Amino acid sequence: MLEIRDLRSRYGRIEVLHGITLNVQSGEIVTVVGANGAGKTTLLRCISGIQPVSAGGIIFRGETITTVPAYRRIRRGITQSPEGRQIFTNLTVEENLRLGAFLFSDDRVDRDMEDAFQMFPILREKRNLPAGGLSGGQQQMLAIARALMGRPSCLLLDEPSMGLAPLLVQQIFDVVSGLKARNVTVLLVEQNAFGALKIADRGYVMETGRITMDGPAEALIADPRIREAYLGI
Ligand SMILES: Nc1ncnc2c1ncn2[C@@H]1O[C@H](COP(=O)(O)OP(=O)(O)OP(=O)(O)O)[C@@H](O)[C@H]1O
Ligand SMILES: [Mg+2]
């Protein structure tokens, strides 16, 4: 579904992605794990089209989209839930969700919202309240739900577990895991390597702008190098 080939990206004169190659098959949950500053967010921003690519290519469903503008990539089915949630705190929960559906004006928007409320009942309870009043975990749920309102076939998730208490972290990973049943293909970027690998089919390890390991998630969890460097076990 998604293929990244030898992708390079820079901020000014400083290159931070030094040739990333990875792929995501339809229906998979694939995770990219890596420490602070490895380039995970930059990679997702390249895929969604808000970060310029200096070399290499991005192929989505067989078509090269490397220079396709971000708004067109959303129409093709790529949606990103950004790092730090980036919800609109002054708007209500419902308004945030409706913004996620800005591409659509059909009846399905209401059904999608109903769907979101079934996935996240707390969002229904708070639908008319300002999103800024939600807890961190609830805001993360809203960020994911908002992204789903865009009806993505490929969802890019940037550190959904960041800053959450352990119980909520598990809840968020459960939700991501459940996206499979909804035919959403997921590229999940995480510093929480263990949590991400536990729900992923395959994983890539990213270190300072390069992929240093990849494989089935269980194999990575079992690998002594990963266990020492990322899992603390
Ligand atoms: N706007 C920017 N301008 C200049 N350098 C940047 C910018 N954003 C990120 N960088 C640098 O690019 C590198 C990769 O950053 P990036 O945010 O992609 O990493 P990350 O893996 O997402 O980190 P984290 O886990 O902390 O979110 C880092 O060295 C970072 O300092
Ligand atoms: Mg990041």
Side-chain angles (χ1 to χ4, degrees), residues 27-31 119-120 144 148 155 157 160 168-188 190 195-201:
E28 276 190 313
I29 298 179
V30 170
T31 186
M119 252 177 124
F120 305 107
I144 294 175
L148 290 174
L155 177 63
L157 289 174
L168 287 170
V169 168
Q170 195 46 55
Q171 237 180 55
I172 292 293
F173 281 131
D174 288 346
V175 162
V176 176
S177 187
L179 294 177
K180 246 189 172 172
R182 296 171 171 257
N183 291 321
V184 182
T185 302
V186 177
L187 181 58
L188 166 68
E190 267 292 343
L197 287 169
K198 270 202 303 192
I199 61 160
D201 298 293

Side-chain angles (χ1 to χ4, degrees), residues 22-98:
L22 63 80
N23 66 78
V24 183
Q25 309 294 324
S26 181
E28 276 190 313
I29 298 179
V30 170
T31 186
V32 174
V33 299
N36 207 336
K40 305 181 299 296
T41 295
T42 306
L43 172 64
L44 288 194
R45 290 167 55 93
C46 287
I47 299 170
S48 59
I50 48 179
Q51 163 75 19
V53 164
S54 45
I58 304 171
I59 297 149
F60 184 63
R61 301 181 132 168
E63 289 178 80
T64 300
I65 58 161
T66 322
T67 57
V68 169
Y71 74 92
R72 289 237 185 94
R73 296 190 201 190
I74 299 177
R75 288 180 193 276
R76 288 181 192 220
I78 300 177
T79 301
Q80 180 170 0
S81 171
E83 185 173 342
R85 300 156 202 152
Q86 312 285 350
I87 56 163
F88 302 99
T89 51
N90 294 328
L91 301 183
T92 66
V93 166
E94 175 168 342
E95 286 164 341
N96 271 272
L97 290 174
R98 289 198 181 278

Side-chain angles (χ1 to χ4, degrees), residues 10-12 14-17 33-45 51 83 158-159 162 189-191 206 208-209:
R10 52 179 70 239
Y11 293 104
I14 303 180
E15 186 177 86
V16 299
L17 298 183
V33 299
N36 207 336
K40 305 181 299 296
T41 295
T42 306
L43 172 64
L44 288 194
R45 290 167 55 93
Q51 163 75 19
E83 185 173 342
D158 197 346
E159 306 225 27
M162 190 174 54
V189 150
E190 267 292 343
Q191 281 192 49
M206 194 169 180
T208 55

